[in-house]
Amino acid sequence: MSEQFERGEAVAAGGWQAVAGDLAHCVRFYSRLPVPALPFEQDAHALPSFSRLVRVVPLAGLIIGLVPAVAMTVALLLDLGPWLAATLAVAALVLATGALHEDGLADTADSIGGTTRDKRLEIMRDSRIGSFGAAALFLALALRIGALAEILSRADATMAFAAILITASLSRTAGLMPLVFLPPARRDGLSHAVGQPARETFWLAVGIAGAVAVILGALAGLPPLGIALMIVLSGLSGLALTGFATRHLGGQTGDIVGAAQQVAEIAALIGLLTVLAP
């Protein structure tokens, strides 16, 4: 009996250690936050395998979302106003993530100028930013700052805090859709290296992200319709980028995943904004 109890404890420990290790790996991959190596991690800085890590992506987004949420709160406490608070929040997020998703959005936008699939993939690998990419970055930043500032003007700080966390979780989950539903567009890219997640694991992540949105939104007093629109519109945005990647490249790349996250973030914020009274 004691041996069975000890085996049960070992399995439980392995379970929570696996989740904690995956979460630490995921936060390191998606951000530049200084996540220390956990005592039970074999290789803290190895390239993560998204075939397993997908389940913790919504939670990693939640942790990363704390950075802009706290930056916004500090700005509000200093009475800097909604626009500056929103700008500082987005700036903090860009710094925390190393502009990972913004880079993907810019490269994806630049690839629109390519006339063939191979030319588009070549453009996406070019580190230089073209006119399409620059315009996409400007518009994405403006839309995120403007939407968040308007949310702050129509709702209290607690609601805006929750909105940032929910959006960070939902958008990173939606950004996985191209990775899950499409094959890699090239055999030597990052999206190929991290592996293709199982759809069952992805739907588990969707359920977790949805639960996070509903629970945090309810605790913060966000309107139920607004929460629903954040979930639905972020998901539709991920599907839209998946369809775009199918027609544009015949598959997905890491840049497409980044672009999907950016579009989903904007869609979620605007979705909430549409139900908040001016």
Side-chain angles (χ1 to χ4, degrees):
M1 184 71 175
S2 62
E3 291 180 359
Q4 291 178 341
F5 180 75
E6 288 175 2
R7 280 200 300 270
E9 279 193 325
V11 170
W16 74 259
Q17 287 180 354
V19 172
D22 286 348
L23 183 57
H25 256 87
C26 208
V27 174
R28 291 190 198 104
F29 179 80
Y30 273 111
S31 75
R32 293 186 175 181
L33 298 179
V35 181
L38 303 179
F40 46 81
E41 285 188 281
Q42 293 183 348
D43 188 355
H45 299 288
L47 186 68
S49 171
F50 272 85
S51 60
R52 189 184 72 250
L53 261 64
V54 161
R55 58 181 177 166
V56 297
V57 165
L59 302 180
L62 204 60
I63 293 171
I64 295 168
L66 286 170
V67 175
V70 169
M72 178 199 70
T73 302
V74 171
L76 292 175
L77 289 174
L78 294 174
D79 201 23
L80 298 182
W83 276 95
L84 190 52
T87 303
L88 290 173
V90 173
L93 181 57
V94 172
L95 288 173
T97 60
L100 175 67
H101 303 297
E102 287 82 0
D103 179 70
L105 176 66
D107 287 341
T108 299
D110 276 335
S111 72
I112 294 174
T115 55
T116 66
R117 175 183 179 276
D118 289 342
K119 183 61 177 177
R120 292 163 191 156
L121 289 171
E122 181 184 340
I123 291 171
M124 293 173 84
R125 274 197 160 163
D126 193 334
S127 60
R128 294 169 296 180
I129 296 179
S131 55
F132 280 127
L137 276 178
F138 174 81
L139 291 172
L141 290 170
L143 286 167
R144 291 157 69 194
I145 292 170
L148 183 56
E150 192 62 23
I151 289 171
L152 279 170
S153 69
R154 300 185 186 188
D156 58 37
T158 301
M159 290 182 177
F161 194 100
I164 291 176
L165 296 184
I166 293 169
T167 301
S169 179
L170 288 175
S171 64
R172 280 159 184 79
T173 306
L176 293 170
M177 287 186 181
L179 192 64
V180 172
F181 295 110
L182 297 178
R186 56 168 70 99
R187 294 183 179 181
D188 57 348
L190 180 61
S191 63
H192 182 273
V194 298
Q196 188 170 26
R199 295 187 182 185
E200 294 79 5
T201 310
F202 169 71
W203 291 120
L204 172 62
V206 170
I208 293 172
V212 165
V214 171
I215 293 170
L216 283 181
L219 290 174
L222 291 175
L225 179 57
I227 299 170
L229 284 174
M230 293 179 81
I231 296 171
V232 172
L233 292 180
S234 62
L236 289 176
S237 297
L239 285 175
L241 262 292
T242 301
F244 168 79
T246 301
R247 297 186 302 273
H248 195 59
L249 301 172
Q252 47 78 18
T253 67
D255 289 329
I256 292 291
V257 173
Q261 185 278 329
Q262 289 284 284
V263 174
E265 182 175 329
I266 293 167
L269 290 172
I270 292 177
L272 173 61
L273 185 58
T274 59
V275 300
L276 294 176

